[in-house]
Amino acid sequence: MAEIVELLSSPSHRYVGRPADGPLPASAGELVGEIRIRAGLGVVGDRYFGRPAHREASVTVIARESLPDGAGLTQVRRNIMVAGIAVDELVGAELTLDSGDGPVRLRVRRAAHPCAWMDATIGPGAWKALRGKGGVRCEPLDDGVLRVGPVAFTVSR
């Protein structure tokens, strides 16, 4: 069974400057029980919401199975962490998630490549370990709500 493990909506960038300097402090309430998604705009309240340069990549998804034990969304800065869905294999597909409030379709546009910050936030070697497993960047096709917990999903190509 698939589930949404964590959800993140962060109003600010934390990775500014050099990884050796460490990230800025997390905003209060970044990890949430639900997120509201707007078609073509992204996650309401997130730092990339409505930004033209990010419209086709405004929602990010990562599989829990890709991360080392103990790592979470605050370290990798993705919006949605799922379990039981091999998201890295879905580039070019449409992923539909329904956590009980109706389906939300996401067009999986491209891989979300990890960066050197992963070594600073998760631990040494994380950047290389996450290559090819850093999640995906998606364009939201529907307005809707996603919640932490069990999720029904479909994939169409």
Side-chain angles (χ1 to χ4, degrees), residues 63-153:
R64 178 178 60 192
E65 293 84 356
S66 296
L67 297 174
D69 288 341
L73 292 181
T74 57
Q75 287 87 23
V76 295
R77 310 301 287 167
R78 305 296 186 251
N79 298 115
I80 303 168
M81 182 192 297
V82 295
I85 306 172
V87 297
D88 295 297
E89 302 169 5
L90 301 180
V91 173
E94 187 175 288
L95 172 64
T96 302
L97 300 173
D98 188 341
S99 60
D101 290 288
V104 176
R105 294 175 305 134
L106 303 170
R107 169 69 57 203
V108 182
R109 294 289 186 181
R110 62 184 184 268
H113 299 294
C115 66
W117 279 98
M118 300 304 100
D119 285 348
T121 60
I122 296 173
W127 179 21
K128 286 183 181 178
L130 285 172
R131 287 185 185 160
K133 314 187 279 187
V136 291
R137 297 187 181 282
C138 305
E139 175 186 5
L141 303 177
D142 299 309
D143 290 353
V145 173
L146 294 174
R147 300 177 191 278
V148 170
V151 66
F153 77 97

